[in-house]
Amino acid sequence: MSSSCVAANSEDSRNGITWQESLVRAETFKCEGNGLYKTKEYKKAMGKYHRALFYLRGIENNLRSPFPGIVQSPKPLSSEDQSRVNQVTVDCYNNLAACLLQSEEPSYKRILECCDKALELSPSNVKALFRKGVALYHLHNTEKALAILKQASVLPGGKSDANISKYIKLCNEEIVRQEEELKSRCKAMFAAPKQTHSST
């Protein structure tokens, strides 16, 4: 764990803290989650990522006025600050997907949801694209999985990724298998029925 990871405040309430404090707490929980992930304590890591997202959502709530059409914050986040918030959000959703993939019985629908959340903010995120492709493959959406994996494979960091290549191969093999199975069914369906000849 990085030396910058300090113990997080155990207070769960977001009331009375600034968005800057919320972001620091989110970054701290994310960092603690990363440490737990490295030691393969995936459920605990997921708890940390969820808490980080709790504070990140608090930032949005703090900047939003309770009255429609009225901006509560006189000074919105700078592009640098917004980028920082987005990066932590992407990392948390991406890492949640990684933890879920390590489950004995992965929930591929939840993995897909986490990846989509990350990709909303970072459309070219190779890790999120890869994990989304894996989820789609296991959800039997093979053609879409292949398209997503190919997209990841041409991005920096994806070209030499053996896992991406592995799943592209699996998708291609599954598509070929499905095509052969379809051909066999069609052949059987349209095959001429055998004629029986009665003896005289």
Side-chain angles (χ1 to χ4, degrees):
M1 186 181 298
S2 168
S3 59
S4 64
C5 289
V6 295
N9 192 314
S10 60
E11 179 189 7
D12 286 336
S13 174
R14 293 171 296 198
N15 294 331
I17 65 173
T18 66
W19 72 262
Q20 292 94 334
E21 291 171 324
S22 290
L23 179 55
V24 168
R25 294 184 188 191
E27 288 176 326
T28 299
F29 280 122
K30 187 204 82 168
C31 194
E32 291 177 352
N34 291 351
L36 290 164
Y37 182 87
K38 288 177 181 177
T39 57
K40 299 184 178 181
E41 298 177 84
Y42 302 119
K43 286 186 178 180
K44 290 182 180 180
M46 288 175 65
K48 297 292 184 180
Y49 297 135
H50 279 300
R51 293 192 74 179
L53 289 167
F54 176 86
Y55 280 104
L56 291 167
R57 284 191 290 271
I59 294 172
E60 182 181 353
N61 292 338
N62 287 341
L63 295 175
R64 184 191 301 137
S65 171
F67 304 103
I70 299 177
V71 179
Q72 181 175 351
S73 174
K75 185 179 179 181
L77 295 180
S78 67
S79 58
E80 183 179 347
D81 290 332
Q82 187 63 61
S83 178
R84 187 177 163 195
V85 170
N86 289 351
Q87 186 58 59
V88 180
T89 303
V90 169
D91 290 345
C92 287
Y93 279 117
N94 223 344
N95 294 347
L96 277 172
C99 288
L100 288 165
L101 280 170
Q102 298 297 330
S103 304
E104 290 183 8
E105 296 182 1
S107 172
Y108 292 109
K109 288 185 178 180
R110 285 186 64 195
I111 293 167
L112 195 59
E113 290 171 1
C114 289
C115 292
D116 282 338
K117 289 283 189 181
L119 290 167
E120 283 178 13
L121 297 173
S122 181
S124 298
N125 190 289
V126 173
K127 290 182 179 180
L129 287 169
F130 165 66
R131 289 164 185 153
K132 179 174 182 176
V134 171
L136 287 167
Y137 171 80
H138 288 286
L139 290 169
H140 309 293
N141 196 339
T142 314
E143 291 187 359
K144 189 171 181 180
L146 181 59
I148 293 292
L149 291 164
K150 283 184 175 180
Q151 183 181 343
S153 71
V154 299
L155 293 170
K159 295 179 180 179
S160 58
D161 192 311
N163 287 321
I164 292 176
S165 299
K166 171 188 172 182
Y167 269 90
I168 286 176
K169 183 180 178 182
L170 287 172
C171 286
N172 282 323
E173 289 174 349
E174 177 61 18
I175 289 171
V176 169
R177 186 194 69 77
Q178 290 174 2
E179 289 175 348
E180 291 299 324
E181 183 178 326
L182 182 60
K183 287 178 183 178
S184 296
R185 287 180 179 178
C186 290
K187 187 176 180 180
M189 187 182 299
F190 294 105
K194 294 181 179 180
Q195 296 182 354
T196 57
H197 301 280
S198 59
S199 59
T200 55

